[in-house]
Amino acid sequence: MKNIKQWVEDCRSGKETYQSLIDRVPYARFLGIQVVSRGEELYFILPKKDTNVGNPTLPALHGGAVAGFMEQAALLFILLEMGEPRIPKTIDLTVDYLRAGHVRDTFVECSITRLGRRVANVHISAWQVRKEEPIAIARAHFLLSEENSDSE
Amino acid sequence: MCERYVESVRHSHELGIQIIEAREQSVRAVMPWQERLVGNPDTNMIHGGAIFAFLDQLGGLANALRVFPTFEITPTIDFRIDHLRAPTPGAAIIGEAECYRLSEHVAFVRLEAWAEGAEEPIATGMATYMRMKVPNAGTVVAP
């Protein structure tokens, strides 16, 4: 089985698609996350899908599905920013819901506030109509250290 | 009431959420392990996002219990989750939510999650929800 570093290299060289990398994650397939790359720039899309609906009366997307999408997008985003790719582990995630998420395609943009040796601080923004009007923003911390190397 | 509520929310139905116990302002439920909720295929651990969605749903249920027998829609304002330790691979997740303060416009909720069979929590959460008194909102969960 190919390790994660090899996967990332294959994505960068065009031998594999970024979509195939995220499709290895069953939960990402469950939500239906799509990744489109323009060179090394990544765009994350959560296409409209009935199984991600929360409130049936509005109707609106489930806040948890939006959060899961944001978290998974950030995980892949950091993974590709690392020189030595390792699967990041979520330490915490704080989501501010700003507008109702309508049942339509949702997009996510990530920016790394700081990429340390052990911890990455990431800002995540999810939007539907225009980028300037996010439906949710989030702040998250990810642990980058390898297993059992926390004491180094 | 709780079961009808969960059934009415498609995403929560897909997560397989089942109510264990409902009290006046708190709820305990289980989210069985499912292959499609796995975050890391090498370890079979449930994705943090699924645990987030599960707890967010329980927060909504705790609010519904607190305002019962009236019904309100309570969209999430803010939700924070701390992942304390990795969940046991293949284990179901047990979650608990308590609406510990209900102000005129805002519900405040504490949340916790465990892997089934383990003592120590895997995640804690803190959330606030907006109270929206929508007429006829209860028709979704009414018998």
Side-chain angles (χ1 to χ4, degrees):
Chain A
M1 184 92 152
K2 221 178 339 185
N3 68 21
I4 194 69
K5 199 177 160 187
Q6 190 60 49
W7 267 99
V8 171
E9 275 171 19
D10 287 353
C11 287
R12 288 199 172 119
S13 67
K15 214 168 123 195
E16 291 280 0
T17 60
Y18 290 100
Q19 186 67 46
S20 70
L21 181 59
I22 207 161
D23 280 346
R24 290 190 70 229
V25 180
Y27 181 70
R29 289 200 306 269
F30 167 63
L31 293 180
I33 301 176
Q34 291 178 3
V35 193
V36 177
S37 65
R38 299 276 179 274
E40 284 190 14
E41 293 264 309
L42 296 187
Y43 299 87
F44 298 95
I45 307 150
L46 185 71
K48 170 184 167 176
K49 198 178 176 199
D50 286 348
T51 51
N52 291 335
V53 171
N55 187 310
T57 44
L58 293 174
L61 284 185
H62 195 285
V66 175
F69 171 42
M70 294 171 96
E71 178 176 345
Q72 182 54 51
L75 283 165
L76 185 65
F77 188 80
I78 305 166
L79 178 70
L80 297 167
E81 288 293 317
M82 288 196 283
E84 281 288 313
R86 294 183 301 271
I87 310 260
K89 292 184 188 127
T90 313
I91 301 170
D92 61 65
L93 172 72
T94 310
V95 182
D96 277 11
Y97 293 95
L98 307 177
R99 294 176 177 81
H102 297 291
V103 183
R104 55 186 291 170
D105 294 359
T106 309
F107 309 94
V108 149
E109 198 174 59
C110 306
S111 66
I112 294 181
T113 314
R114 179 170 189 267
L115 186 65
R117 207 158 54 91
R118 289 178 197 168
V119 174
N121 304 49
V122 185
H123 180 269
I124 311 153
S125 179
W127 54 280
Q128 290 186 324
V129 182
R130 43 180 87 226
K131 216 187 268 185
E132 296 75 28
E133 292 171 11
I135 59 161
I137 53 171
R139 203 168 64 90
H141 296 96
F142 296 92
L143 185 68
L144 310 176
S145 317
E146 290 249 47
E147 206 82 51
N148 304 324
S149 63
D150 292 356
S151 56
E152 65 184 22
Chain B
M1 189 275 284
C2 282
E3 278 157 17
R4 285 195 299 273
Y5 188 146
V6 171
E7 275 313 297
S8 77
V9 178
R10 178 69 192 273
H11 190 66
S12 300
H13 175 69
E14 298 292 329
L15 293 174
I17 299 174
Q18 293 156 25
I19 309 300
I20 299 171
E21 191 186 3
R23 291 189 221 124
E24 273 181 21
Q25 56 182 46
S26 67
V27 63
R28 178 184 267 256
V30 60
M31 177 172 71
W33 185 90
Q34 289 187 60
E35 199 274 333
R36 62 183 183 167
L37 300 182
V38 164
N40 183 340
D42 301 330
T43 61
N44 264 347
M45 283 190 299
I46 289 189
H47 198 286
I51 296 166
F52 185 113
F54 172 44
L55 289 183
D56 189 21
Q57 178 61 66
L58 295 192
L61 283 169
N63 299 335
L65 288 163
R66 180 92 188 228
V67 301
F68 188 79
T70 60
F71 186 81
E72 297 174 2
I73 291 176
T74 54
T76 316
I77 301 170
D78 166 90
F79 193 111
R80 175 188 171 115
I81 189 165
D82 283 7
H83 293 283
L84 307 180
R85 48 177 62 78
T88 319
I93 308 294
I94 311 284
E96 208 170 284
E98 186 197 7
C99 176
Y100 66 98
R101 159 84 179 138
L102 191 71
S103 75
E104 197 189 337
H105 297 292
V106 180
F108 299 82
V109 179
R110 271 191 287 255
L111 310 102
E112 208 158 40
W114 303 263
E116 194 169 39
E119 295 248 319
E120 301 290 334
I122 55 162
T124 54
M126 279 292 240
T128 49
Y129 296 83
M130 181 63 74
R131 297 180 65 186
M132 285 172 67
K133 291 149 204 171
V134 182
N136 302 324
T139 52
V140 178
V141 290

